[in-house]
């Protein structure tokens, strides 16, 4: 089963004075030699296969992104987690043949993303819009059963997911969705009968502060997943690139101290001679320096054309979009062609579905947000408004 996820400055590498002068590559090799001496020293071979090098580099980046996602999950940093998840998805989905541990890490990240969005009932990971993120996380957790060595921990997290699937709906005040979720759990998952009776009582009474929901809270679920991550990372360490970067940063922090010493030992430039006697006398008498009557700068003669302002042609900077649905590149024949009038284009069913989903999410009138969220090609917000008016007249919405 396959699950889907919905530059700063370049590091400056340098040799410090404690290290003998070397080239960049030799210096970087010396920094990370302790971790993988044989592999890095063999990269100077002329017979090296570039595909294998790229595979190793991508494996390091996958491990580093996975480690960062686990850290942001523990910190509950939603913004950094979502940004890193996009990077992780772009790297790992580009690989045609994933190793077993990489596929497991991908599945774990699918689980973490669904739990991070667990309380956001407007987010959907499945084609069925009624399936909440936690309901989708149940099937992901079942795929990780062989990965968890502690069977008690596996059962505990599964029970917490089952309870919170209903508990989150009640917490958000949607008792109807909670009842539907309970019916879905009875059909699609192995819901124990004892737990089913307790959840039925909670849903019928709409008791948000029930002892079952309080004892098996959402925070308890997050902490249990943290215990699973700690055990997995201890068994499958993914910190090679992190350790190498830490060593480079450690060496980089030693540079400012040396730079301060070098600045103090700098000699004055020959173009600016220093006259200690004049400076001493003027400082004692508090004399102001003499003003120059004429400037030493060369003055160009005035020309009538110099008063004309340079003519600037207006230019348009296009905003690049990185979403998969909007990364289509126009064909070369249409790229540099600007038409005066737009030709009418028929609306397809996919665009109508996007428009309905956008109005459901943002509401009527938010046409610019809907236009950025979904792929409507070269249509404008005015076109979206007109189309929505047409659909309302046709009684299709």
């Amino acid at each position: 089963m396959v699950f889907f996820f919905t530059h700063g400055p370049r590091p400056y590498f340098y040799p410090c004075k404690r290290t003998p002068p070397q080239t960049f590559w030799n210096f970087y090799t010396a920094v990370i030699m302790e971790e993988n001496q044989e592999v890095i020293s063999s990269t100077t071979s002329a017979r090296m296969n570039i595909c294998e090098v790229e595979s190793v580099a991508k494996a390091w980046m996958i491990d580093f992104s996975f480690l960062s996602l686990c850290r942001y999950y523990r910190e509950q940093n939603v913004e950094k987690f979502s940004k890193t998840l996009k990077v992780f998805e772009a790297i790992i989905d580009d690989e045609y043949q994933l190793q077993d541990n990489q596929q497991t890490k991908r599945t774990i990240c699918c689980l973490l993303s669904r739990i991070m969005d667990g309380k956001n009932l407007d987010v959907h990971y499945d084609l069925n819009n009624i399936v909440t993120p936690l309901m989708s996380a149940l099937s992901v957790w079942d795929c990780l059963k062989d990965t968890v060595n502690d069977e008690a921990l596996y059962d505990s997290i599964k029970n917490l997911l089952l309870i919170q699937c209903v508990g989150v709906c009640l917490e958000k005040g949607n008792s109807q969705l909670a009842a539907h979720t309970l019916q879905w759990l009875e059909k699609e998952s192995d819901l124990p009968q004892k737990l089913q009776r307790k959840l039925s009582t909670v849903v019928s009474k709409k008791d948000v502060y029930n002892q079952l929901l309080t004892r098996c809270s959402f925070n308890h679920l997050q902490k249990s997943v943290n215990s699973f991550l700690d055990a997995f990372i201890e068994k499958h360490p993914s910190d090679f690139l992190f350790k190498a970067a830490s060593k480079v940063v450690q060496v980089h922090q030693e540079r400012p101290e040396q730079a301060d010493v070098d600045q103090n030992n700098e000699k004055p430039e020959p173009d600016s001679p220093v006259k200690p006697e004049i400076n001493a006398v003027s400082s004692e008498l508090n004399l102001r320096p003499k003003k120059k009557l004429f400037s030493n700068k060369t003055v160009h003669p005035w020309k009538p054309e110099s008063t004309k302002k340079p003519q600037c042609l207006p230019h348009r900077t296009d905003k690049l979009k990185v979403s998969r649905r909007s990364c289509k590149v126009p064909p070369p024949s249409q790229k540099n062609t600007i038409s005066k009038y737009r030709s009418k284009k028929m609306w397809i069913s996919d665009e109508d579905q996007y428009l309905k989903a956008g109005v459901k999410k943002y509401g009527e009138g938010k046409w610019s947000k809907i236009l950025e969220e979904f792929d409507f090609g070269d249509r404008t917000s005015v076109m979206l408004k007109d189309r929505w008016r047409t659909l309302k007249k046709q009684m299709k919405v």
Side-chain angles (χ1 to χ4, degrees):
M1 184 179 296
V2 180
F3 301 97
F4 297 94
F5 309 97
T6 51
H7 28 174
R10 293 166 55 190
Y12 182 78
F13 298 95
Y14 55 88
C16 62
K17 289 195 173 182
R18 299 180 184 178
T19 309
Q22 307 173 56
T23 60
F24 162 75
W25 178 250
N26 291 333
F27 171 72
Y28 183 74
T29 305
V31 172
I32 59 177
M33 186 69 73
E34 298 177 0
E35 296 293 334
N36 208 336
Q37 183 176 3
E38 296 181 0
V39 175
I40 298 177
S41 61
S42 64
T43 55
T44 56
S45 174
R47 301 177 182 177
M48 176 176 48
N49 188 355
I50 190 63
C51 295
E52 296 179 358
V53 174
E54 291 179 354
S55 178
V56 172
K58 286 183 178 179
W60 290 347
M61 290 187 288
I62 289 173
D63 290 345
F64 181 78
S65 300
F66 173 76
L67 201 65
S68 301
L69 286 171
C70 295
R71 184 173 74 254
Y72 295 144
Y73 173 82
R74 293 190 184 97
E75 299 172 357
Q76 288 298 299
N77 194 330
V78 180
E79 183 179 359
K80 290 186 177 180
F81 183 88
S82 59
K83 290 181 179 179
T84 309
L85 186 64
K86 293 179 181 179
V87 177
F88 178 81
E89 180 185 6
I91 298 174
I92 203 166
D93 286 352
D94 189 50
E95 291 289 324
Y96 295 102
Q97 294 181 352
L98 293 177
Q99 301 177 4
D100 293 339
N101 62 335
Q102 292 176 346
Q103 183 62 46
T104 304
K105 292 174 183 177
R106 186 184 189 278
T107 308
I108 292 175
C109 290
C110 291
L111 175 71
L112 298 183
S113 63
R114 284 156 174 78
I115 296 178
M116 287 288 285
D117 291 328
K119 292 190 175 183
N120 191 354
L121 300 180
D122 295 331
V123 176
H124 303 287
Y125 288 87
D126 293 54
L127 297 177
N128 188 359
N129 293 335
I130 304 177
V131 178
T132 62
L134 291 181
M135 294 163 65
S136 179
L138 275 171
S139 56
V140 181
W141 183 243
D142 290 338
C143 296
L144 294 172
K145 185 175 182 179
D146 297 336
T147 308
V148 187
N149 296 327
D150 190 355
E151 187 175 354
L153 179 62
Y154 173 81
D155 295 336
S156 175
I157 293 178
K158 185 170 184 178
N159 288 332
L160 288 170
L161 285 172
L162 291 170
I163 295 172
Q164 283 304 309
C165 283
V166 179
V168 168
C169 297
L170 292 175
E171 182 182 347
K172 296 297 181 179
N174 197 338
S175 57
Q176 184 178 0
L177 181 60
H180 175 79
T181 302
L182 183 58
Q183 295 177 0
W184 185 90
L185 293 176
E186 294 173 357
K187 296 178 181 178
E188 302 294 336
S189 64
D190 300 331
L191 183 63
Q193 293 183 357
K194 185 177 180 180
L195 182 59
Q196 188 270 339
R197 289 193 296 266
K198 291 182 179 180
L199 291 176
S200 299
T201 305
V202 173
V203 172
S204 60
K205 294 182 179 181
K206 301 179 183 179
D207 189 4
V208 183
Y209 302 100
N210 187 276
Q211 185 179 3
L212 177 64
L213 300 181
T214 306
R215 186 175 66 253
C216 303
S217 62
F218 191 81
N219 292 332
H220 191 191
L221 171 63
Q222 293 175 333
K223 292 179 181 179
S224 300
V225 175
N226 285 337
S227 302
F228 162 70
L229 292 178
D230 293 337
F232 180 82
I233 293 175
E234 183 179 359
K235 185 177 179 181
H236 305 278
S238 309
D239 55 352
F240 170 71
L241 190 58
F242 181 81
K243 288 183 178 179
S246 301
K247 292 181 180 179
V248 174
V249 171
Q250 183 179 1
V251 177
H252 182 73
Q253 291 175 351
E254 298 176 359
R255 185 193 167 125
E257 301 176 359
Q258 189 64 30
D260 295 338
V261 176
D262 296 340
Q263 288 180 359
N264 295 331
N265 296 333
E266 285 183 354
K267 296 181 180 180
E269 298 180 358
D271 297 338
S272 57
V274 180
K275 298 180 179 180
E277 298 178 358
I278 297 176
N279 293 336
V281 174
S282 58
S283 61
E284 291 179 3
L285 300 179
N286 294 327
L287 298 179
R288 293 183 295 178
K290 294 181 179 181
K291 295 183 178 180
K292 295 182 180 181
L293 298 179
F294 302 97
S295 176
N296 295 330
K297 297 180 180 180
T298 58
V299 180
H300 299 283
W302 176 82
K303 294 181 181 180
E305 294 80 5
S306 61
T307 58
K308 294 182 179 180
K309 294 183 179 181
Q311 185 178 5
C312 298
L313 297 176
H315 61 280
R316 177 182 177 185
T317 56
D318 295 331
K319 184 179 180 180
L320 299 177
K321 298 182 180 181
V322 295
S323 60
R324 289 184 177 179
R325 289 174 295 186
S326 59
C327 62
K328 298 178 181 179
V329 181
S333 59
Q334 301 176 359
K335 190 173 183 179
N336 299 324
T337 315
I338 302 176
S339 58
K340 188 175 182 180
Y341 302 100
R342 294 175 182 263
S343 59
K344 290 187 177 181
K345 188 173 64 173
M346 297 294 294
W347 283 75
I348 59 177
S349 59
D350 292 341
E351 292 177 330
D352 289 341
Q353 294 297 329
Y354 294 157
L355 183 59
K356 293 176 183 178
V359 173
K360 182 179 179 181
K361 183 176 182 180
Y362 296 105
E364 292 189 35
K366 305 295 183 179
W367 310 116
S368 58
K369 290 185 178 180
I370 298 174
L371 188 64
E372 293 179 358
E373 179 73 17
F374 300 94
D375 182 19
F376 290 98
D378 57 349
R379 298 190 186 278
T380 62
S381 57
V382 178
M383 294 180 181
L384 300 186
K385 181 182 68 175
D386 295 340
R387 181 58 180 174
W388 183 253
R389 187 187 300 113
T390 303
L391 292 176
K392 291 176 68 176
K393 289 181 180 180
Q394 297 175 357
M395 304 296 292
K396 293 184 178 181
V397 291

